[in-house]
Structure formats: structure tokens, C-alpha cells
Amino acid sequence: MHVIFMGTPDFSVPVLEALVDAGHEVAAVYCQPPRPAGRGKKDRPTPVHARAVELGLEVRHPVSLKTSEAQEEFAALNADIAVVVAYGLILPQVILDAPTKGCLNIHASLLPRWRGAAPIHRAIMAGDAETGICIMQMEAGLDTGPVLLREGTAIGEEETTAQLHDRLSEMGASLIVTALRHLDGLSPDVQPVEGVTYASKIDKAEARIDWSRPAVEVDRQIRGLSPFPGAWSELKGQRVKVLASRLAEGQGEPGEVLAENLTIACGSGAVELLRLQRAGKGAQDREIFLRGFAMKPGDSF
């Protein structure tokens, strides 16, 4: 097929690669513009931009798709279909209608649950047992279109957003190739009204750990916000991010260190901290962290 690809972050890269590997002709790649990053604040291309250049594909990064110029340039590609995954711009109706077969979105949840910006984070933070990928025919509404294909997967008891992100990215890449291969034979499944939830964008204010909450909620917060923005707490006057955890046995004052393996008491139950990061330092497994930051039972966050 003659395909327009629209995506921006790391999550989108395996999808672009899968389309190329499957033999589809990628007419152009649309992504967010390069933005200042790093210590020098030099413009850095997005992950999709960088990979598209390596693949020898044309890259476009308009600031908006609402201008007549951008819309005419898009239509002039005469695409059969557009594949959209974590692009970052709203697609006006004229853009949605331009490809012969419309626009397909790869969404990282089992719609209608977790429409919106942060479905992976929210699924873990809510304690969902399962999530997945939906291939959706795009409409003007936020993730409201009919679903053409879906595939579920269990969320691991200790899985972080980073780990689930990578698994779902690969699932999406595989599923879109299947969808395009069988597109004419797929029946759109209209989303039910019941069960709609919205995955609002993660606010950094959600990241501070409240140890008085039940351990199960603290554990979900830690895993759901890993690696970004990273759940954090103050320890000996320093801000420390906690990037991996699991539920543990124990009871004590909220925030109290119960054991040398960094089992921490919560409002009820306890969590065992597995990976941490001090301000200005890299992430470290618990054993390495403790070598430079000794903790003992009775200490507290």
C-alpha cells in the first residue's frame, strides 16, 4: 500500500520499521518538529524523525495541520491509507478524509477503556489485570472510532510502564501489518458507550509518594510512573525516585524502613524497593544504591 506514517516518540518507531519491512511504500513520515534538548539545548529530531532519515524516507514536521497549505501537501501524496501512532497533533476532518481508505490509529489500550494521552500509565496505576492494542478507524472524536482489530495481554505483577510500553509497541507493529494485509475483510466494531474511561495526561504533582496509602496503591504508583516522571520521596533530605517495586510482607509506621532489602511500610502492608535514582545520578538497582546510600531498619522516608 501507499502509506503515510504519522508518529513521533520511541513507541512509534517499531511500527514504522514494520511497515517498511512488510513492503509498504511509505510516501512520507509526519512527526513533531525537532525541539531543544540536552545541555546545549540544540534542536534534536524526534525518534521517528531520526529513524525515518536512516531509512531514507521523506520527513515532514508541520507545526499544524489546520492550514490549507499543510492540508494540500498531505492530499497531494495520494495515499491509500495513513497509519497514526502517538503522533501528537489533532487531525482535522479534511486530513482524515484525504487517504482513500482513511486513517488508522494504533492505540495502547482495550478501547473504550483508557481513551486519551496516557493509557499505559493509567492501566498500571489503576491495577488493571489486562491491557492491549486496538487498531481503530479514526474519527474526529478522541479515540472514539470503530475498532478493526484488538489484541489483549496480561499486565505483569511487577511490570513497569517502561516494560509494558515496549511490549505494546511491538504488538502494535505486528497488529497493524496484519490489519493492512486483511483490511478489506475486516468489520468495524463500534465502541460501546459503557466502559468508557479517559487516560488523562500525567501530572508531575501525582509523582510524590504518600506512604500512608495502602501498599498496593503505592506499588502501582511506582510502577505506573516509571520511568517518567518517576514516583519520588525525600530521603535524608534528598529527593529519590523509585523506579521499580513489588509488594512485600510487613507493617510499621508509613515510610519506615522495615528491612535491609528496602522493605518500606505503607498505610497498610509494605513494598520492597528494587530500583532507585538519586537527584543528578543514574538509575541503580537496589544493591548498588545501598552501597552509596546506606539504609537500615528504623530509618524512614
Side-chain angles (χ1 to χ4, degrees), residues 1-6 74 78-84 91-105 135-139 146 148 176 180 183-184:
M1 282 191 183
H2 197 55
V3 178
I4 296 172
F5 180 78
M6 310 179 81
F74 188 89
N78 295 315
D80 296 317
I81 202 161
V83 172
V84 184
L91 273 56
Q93 191 64 49
V94 65
I95 294 290
L96 295 174
D97 293 340
T100 306
K101 297 179 183 295
C103 300
L104 298 185
N105 177 250
I135 307 297
M136 176 190 64
Q137 189 79 48
M138 294 184 71
E139 298 178 342
L148 300 179
I176 190 63
L180 294 181
L183 188 60
D184 292 337

Side-chain angles (χ1 to χ4, degrees), residues 211-245:
W211 298 104
S212 68
R213 293 167 60 193
V216 66
E217 294 181 9
V218 172
D219 176 60
R220 291 171 184 170
Q221 178 190 18
I222 290 169
R223 293 185 295 108
L225 297 181
S226 176
F228 182 83
W232 64 273
S233 186
E234 288 188 356
L235 180 61
K236 297 183 178 180
Q238 295 190 37
R239 179 179 290 201
V240 176
K241 288 185 178 181
V242 185
L243 302 175
S245 63

Side-chain angles (χ1 to χ4, degrees), residues 64-242:
S64 171
L65 292 172
K66 295 180 179 179
T67 66
S68 57
E69 180 182 5
Q71 293 168 3
E72 289 167 4
E73 290 177 349
F74 188 89
L77 292 169
N78 295 315
D80 296 317
I81 202 161
V83 172
V84 184
V85 51
Y87 174 42
L89 283 183
I90 294 174
L91 273 56
Q93 191 64 49
V94 65
I95 294 290
L96 295 174
D97 293 340
T100 306
K101 297 179 183 295
C103 300
L104 298 185
N105 177 250
I106 302 170
H107 187 74
S109 80
L110 296 177
L111 294 167
R113 185 158 179 79
W114 301 129
R115 295 175 180 174
I120 302 175
H121 300 77
R122 296 299 178 191
I124 291 178
M125 292 173 74
D128 289 4
E130 183 184 35
T131 188
I133 289 289
C134 282
I135 307 297
M136 176 190 64
Q137 189 79 48
M138 294 184 71
E139 298 178 342
L142 178 64
D143 300 328
T144 59
V147 174
L148 300 179
L149 277 180
R150 67 175 65 225
E151 181 179 348
T153 184
I155 299 176
E157 291 183 359
E158 297 180 19
E159 197 161 25
T160 65
T161 284
Q163 294 165 335
L164 184 55
H165 166 285
D166 292 350
R167 287 207 298 120
L168 291 176
S169 177
E170 295 295 338
M171 285 175 59
S174 176
L175 203 59
I176 190 63
V177 170
T178 299
L180 294 181
R181 185 184 305 126
H182 301 289
L183 188 60
D184 292 337
L186 297 177
S187 299
D189 183 16
V190 176
Q191 293 185 41
V193 176
E194 300 79 16
V196 173
T197 56
Y198 289 93
S200 57
K201 185 177 180 180
I202 298 296
D203 190 318
K204 289 185 178 180
E206 300 178 71
R208 184 165 190 166
I209 299 171
D210 179 357
W211 298 104
S212 68
R213 293 167 60 193
V216 66
E217 294 181 9
V218 172
D219 176 60
R220 291 171 184 170
Q221 178 190 18
I222 290 169
R223 293 185 295 108
L225 297 181
S226 176
F228 182 83
W232 64 273
S233 186
E234 288 188 356
L235 180 61
K236 297 183 178 180
Q238 295 190 37
R239 179 179 290 201
V240 176
K241 288 185 178 181
V242 185

Side-chain angles (χ1 to χ4, degrees), residues 235 240-244 262 273-278 282-286 289 301:
L235 180 61
V240 176
K241 288 185 178 181
V242 185
L243 302 175
L262 281 188
L273 310 186
L274 304 174
R275 190 165 176 81
L276 305 97
Q277 182 176 10
R278 293 163 61 188
Q284 298 176 318
D285 289 338
R286 171 185 56 200
F289 175 85
F301 280 87

